[in-house]
């Protein structure tokens, strides 16, 4: 059993490292913290919030509501505490009540990004994808530099089969961070899925740049191989271009094979090291 001081330090470390660890948090709460919460001083409110979120994750609604009540006693008019109450409604799958409460919070403070993002998450949980898209578009009109928002909008458009709009969102993300190879790879994936000569050329360009940024990006390498093969079969390209695409496809595939070959060799070395270690232990035990 963990003593009170150790539990306090562990909870603090989880918060500082931005780790939820919901199961561990609840175990510490039940075993050490619950009956000594007032001994934490002002940190008790941070712990109550931490435990409330963990309880929602683990479907311990009774614990979450007990923490919420203690927070409401101290901060009855806090928007942050009201958002936590909505989190409990969400955990109980009372989505309509949660959305109604969120709309009230948005009217009270339209500049609160977290509240708007929470509403998008609930709409998505209800499988109301088109409504989630509308809400997220309105959100991004006010918070245009939110890269996670653009990424989520891209994913939502993919669910609806809106590939052109999804690719536009990825281009916005590339504008924010052009050196992220995963953004270029994702944009290329979408362009390749769209098909057509123009989109395939864009896919080739973005796959190539992703490989330039990270030569070990196997997905981008294989995507470049598939794109080059598709361009080879296009009737719009002359023989010179087709030969170029053939070279690109060949080089990409060779690079993929080389990476997997190196990986297999490393695995063999690791297995050999483990075997030698086991043999050493066996030799010591026999002696």
């Amino acid at each position: 059993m963990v003593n009170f001081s150790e539990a306090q330090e562990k909870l603090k470390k989880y918060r500082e490292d931005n780790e939820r660890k919901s199961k561990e948090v609840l175990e510490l709460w039940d075993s050490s913290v619950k009956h000594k919460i007032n001994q934490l001083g002002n940190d008790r409110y941070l712990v109550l919030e931490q435990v409330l979120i963990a309880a929602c994750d683990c479907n311990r609604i009774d614990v979450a509501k007990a923490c919420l009540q203690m927070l409401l006693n101290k901060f009855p008019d806090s928007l942050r505490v009201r958002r936590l109450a909505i989190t409990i409604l969400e955990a109980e799958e009372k989505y309509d009540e949660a959305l109604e409460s969120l709309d009230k919070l948005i009217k009270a403070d339209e500049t609160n990004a977290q509240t708007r993002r929470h509403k998008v998450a609930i709409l998505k949980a209800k499988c109301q994808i088109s409504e989630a898209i509308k809400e997220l578009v309105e959100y991004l009109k006010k918070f245009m530099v939110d890269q996670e928002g653009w990424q989520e909008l891209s994913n939502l458009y993919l669910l609806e089969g809106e590939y052109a709009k999804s690719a536009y969102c990825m281009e916005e993300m590339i504008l924010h961070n052009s050196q992220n190879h995963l953004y270029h790879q994702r944009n290329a994936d979408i362009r390749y899925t769209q098909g057509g000569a123009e989109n395939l050329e864009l896919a080739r360009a973005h796959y190539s740049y992703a490989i330039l940024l990270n030569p070990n990006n196997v997905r981008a390498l294989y995507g470049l191989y598939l794109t080059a093969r598709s361009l080879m079969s296009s009737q719009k390209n002359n023989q010179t271009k087709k030969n170029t695409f053939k070279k690109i496809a060949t080089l990409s595939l060779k690079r993929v094979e080389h990476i997997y070959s190196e990986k297999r060799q490393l695995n063999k070395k690791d297995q050999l090291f483990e075997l030698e270690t086991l043999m050493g232990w066996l030799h010591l035990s026999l002696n």
Side-chain angles (χ1 to χ4, degrees):
M1 181 177 175
V2 180
N3 63 44
F4 178 70
S5 298
E6 290 176 348
Q8 184 180 0
E9 288 301 316
K10 282 190 174 182
L11 291 171
K12 184 178 180 181
K13 189 175 187 307
Y14 293 157
R15 292 196 302 274
E16 290 175 347
D17 295 342
N18 200 24
E19 293 181 304
R20 290 176 81 118
K21 288 192 178 286
S22 301
K23 185 178 179 182
E24 291 84 352
V25 168
L26 284 178
E27 287 175 354
L28 292 171
W29 170 260
D30 289 330
S31 64
S32 307
V33 179
K34 179 168 57 175
H35 299 297
K36 298 180 179 180
I37 186 68
N38 291 326
Q39 296 180 26
L40 291 173
N42 289 331
D43 282 351
R44 67 181 181 273
Y45 303 116
L46 293 173
V47 171
L48 286 170
E49 181 179 12
Q50 186 178 10
V51 173
L52 187 154
I53 294 171
C56 289
D57 289 343
C58 298
N59 200 29
R60 293 278 302 276
I61 306 301
D62 57 327
V63 175
K65 288 184 176 180
C67 293
L68 177 66
Q69 190 56 54
M70 284 186 272
L71 288 168
L72 283 171
N73 291 339
K74 180 64 178 178
F75 309 105
D77 300 320
S78 169
L79 291 178
R80 183 166 176 169
V81 175
R82 288 169 67 183
R83 282 202 305 271
L84 290 172
I86 293 169
T87 300
I88 295 175
L89 290 174
E90 188 180 1
E92 294 178 302
E93 297 186 359
K94 296 178 179 178
Y95 295 129
D96 292 334
E97 291 181 40
L99 286 172
E100 185 178 345
S101 299
L102 279 171
D103 286 334
K104 291 178 182 178
L105 290 182
I106 292 170
K107 286 181 180 178
D109 182 8
E110 293 185 356
T111 62
N112 193 310
Q114 191 172 355
T115 305
R116 288 179 172 273
R117 292 173 68 173
H118 198 168
K119 184 176 180 181
V120 173
I122 293 177
L123 289 169
K124 185 179 177 182
K126 291 185 68 178
C127 295
Q128 295 180 357
I129 304 301
S130 58
E131 287 80 0
I133 288 173
K134 290 177 184 177
E135 185 64 33
L136 192 49
V137 167
E138 289 301 316
Y139 165 81
L140 287 170
K141 287 179 181 179
K142 295 180 173 63
F143 306 95
M144 291 183 286
V145 296
D146 187 343
Q147 294 185 48
E148 290 182 359
W150 285 109
Q151 187 169 8
E152 181 61 28
L153 184 58
S154 175
N155 292 335
L156 291 175
Y157 276 133
L158 285 178
L159 291 175
E160 294 290 285
E162 297 277 2
Y163 296 111
K165 293 179 180 179
S166 180
Y168 174 82
C169 295
M170 292 308 305
E171 287 167 0
E172 286 288 336
M173 294 177 66
I174 290 169
L175 286 174
H176 288 297
N177 186 358
S178 61
Q179 300 303 303
N180 189 320
H181 68 99
L182 295 175
Y183 290 174
H184 289 279
Q185 173 210 296
R186 182 70 166 171
N187 193 18
D189 289 341
I190 296 168
R191 294 294 185 181
Y192 177 80
T193 304
Q194 275 186 278
E198 184 179 350
N199 286 316
L200 288 174
E201 283 287 357
L202 287 170
R204 180 189 61 78
H206 283 285
Y207 278 134
S208 299
Y209 199 70
I211 294 164
L212 180 65
L213 294 171
N214 180 10
N216 294 321
N217 187 329
V218 176
R219 180 164 179 156
L221 284 163
Y222 191 65
L224 182 59
Y225 164 74
L226 293 176
T227 304
R229 287 289 302 269
S230 297
L231 288 167
M232 280 169 55
S233 61
S234 175
Q235 300 297 324
K236 294 183 179 180
N237 294 318
N238 57 38
Q239 192 59 42
T240 303
K241 282 190 175 182
K242 287 182 179 181
N243 290 337
T244 301
F245 294 138
K246 185 178 180 180
K247 289 180 182 179
I248 292 172
T250 303
L251 290 171
S252 300
L253 195 58
K254 282 184 178 179
R255 178 62 184 162
V256 171
E257 290 172 349
H258 176 71
I259 290 172
Y260 277 102
S261 177
E262 285 185 336
K263 186 68 175 176
R264 282 195 296 269
Q265 290 176 5
L266 286 172
N267 288 338
K268 286 180 181 178
K269 287 181 180 178
D270 291 341
Q271 291 171 4
L272 181 61
F273 176 75
E274 289 177 6
L275 180 60
E276 290 174 347
T277 304
L278 289 171
M279 292 299 289
W281 288 342
L282 180 61
H283 178 71
L284 288 171
S285 62
L286 289 174
N287 290 337

